[in-house]
Amino acid sequence: MLGLVIINGLIDSFNPCAIGIFLIFLSMLFMLKKEKKHVFQISLVYILSIYISYLLIGLGMIKVIQFFGVPHLISFIGAIIIIIVVVLSIKDYFFPDTIFSTKIPYSARQLILKWTYKGTLPAAAVVGVLVGISEFPCSGGIYVTTLGLLSDKATFIQGFFYLLIYNLMFVLPLILIYAVTANQKVAMKLMDWQEREKNHMKLTMGIIMTILGVILIKWYI
């Protein structure tokens, strides 16, 4: 179970939105010549806000699943969601401007960017929560499936500790990005790379999620 939680958390972390917004934050702070202490504080608040919001979503869902006693059904639904997201991710790669997409809705993106450009600690907290909530419908299939498995195989307390690990894996790329973006040039290059490669990231995530979804569906059929 621990290995599955770690792997699923890492797959779920491969998310262009959370990474892209974080890079915008960092680049803007560097351009405003903010002190390293302030950059660290902003980064910490943003990452913690995503971590806590995603963790609370998971804990709430575990409670609901255990209350209704349908972990297998929830895991199967999660696997179906994974397949749907895979199809949309592959569609986004070849036909990015068509209807039905894995992108965060335009109104939510505008709200996130509005708070991002404030560059303050409260704004970082708000953006982290918004990103955590907004990206759940797109990448949440893996999370839902994992929650179903935890509800079936673990107590609520055990599930809580597994979720602490899952969400640490989920924000690990953000921690690593902060660690390597010690100056503005690195942050700008990383942001340019992310912008160029975000569709390839979606396609890669789609392929990985296809394999995971098929395995999970075969498990439950």
Side-chain angles (χ1 to χ4, degrees):
M1 182 63 72
L2 178 61
L4 183 65
V5 166
I6 291 173
I7 291 171
N8 284 1
L10 288 173
I11 294 173
D12 202 1
S13 74
F14 200 56
N15 192 295
C17 175
I19 294 173
I21 295 295
F22 187 44
L23 288 172
I24 291 174
F25 247 136
L26 289 175
S27 300
M28 182 188 62
L29 293 172
F30 283 127
M31 286 188 289
L32 293 173
K33 301 187 183 302
K34 296 290 186 180
E35 295 180 359
K36 287 187 177 181
K37 178 182 178 181
H38 186 68
V39 175
F40 170 75
Q41 291 172 340
I42 288 281
S43 303
L44 180 63
V45 169
Y46 176 75
I47 293 171
L48 279 177
S49 295
I50 291 180
Y51 182 93
I52 293 171
S53 60
Y54 225 59
L55 176 65
L56 291 177
I57 290 172
L59 290 174
M61 290 194 66
I62 283 182
K63 270 292 188 183
V64 171
I65 294 168
Q66 290 184 339
F67 178 79
F68 287 104
V70 287
H72 289 279
L73 175 61
I74 296 299
S75 294
F76 184 78
I77 291 172
I80 297 297
I81 293 173
I82 290 174
I83 298 299
I84 293 172
V85 171
V86 163
V87 172
L88 291 176
S89 295
I90 295 173
K91 187 273 302 176
D92 284 347
Y93 179 78
F94 291 103
F95 308 102
D97 298 321
T98 54
I99 195 171
F100 298 117
S101 173
T102 57
K103 296 178 181 177
I104 291 177
Y106 178 77
S107 58
R109 292 202 305 271
Q110 291 297 103
L111 183 60
I112 288 170
L113 289 174
K114 174 185 173 182
W115 281 94
T116 299
Y117 287 120
K118 291 180 182 294
T120 63
L121 292 177
V126 171
V127 172
V129 172
L130 288 174
V131 170
I133 294 173
S134 299
E135 69 186 357
F136 177 72
C138 297
S139 63
I142 299 174
Y143 202 22
V144 169
T145 302
T146 305
L147 294 172
L149 291 171
L150 291 177
S151 300
D152 187 35
K153 304 293 183 181
T155 64
F156 181 79
I157 298 299
Q158 291 171 332
F160 172 73
F161 285 106
Y162 278 126
L163 283 185
L164 292 178
I165 297 170
Y166 182 101
N167 284 282
L168 178 60
M169 297 301 103
F170 183 69
V171 300
L172 183 60
L174 302 179
I175 298 172
L176 295 177
I177 286 171
Y178 173 77
V180 300
T181 53
N183 59 63
Q184 181 181 346
K185 288 183 178 179
V186 175
M188 293 299 290
K189 286 181 178 179
L190 204 55
M191 188 168 71
D192 290 341
W193 176 85
Q194 192 271 340
E195 186 64 28
R196 290 196 311 270
E197 300 296 329
K198 62 183 179 181
N199 286 333
H200 289 98
M201 290 172 67
K202 282 188 175 183
L203 182 63
T204 303
M205 187 175 181
I207 293 170
I208 295 172
M209 289 175 67
T210 298
I211 297 170
L212 180 62
V214 170
I215 291 173
L216 290 171
I217 287 177
K218 289 187 69 175
W219 189 353
Y220 284 104
I221 291 180

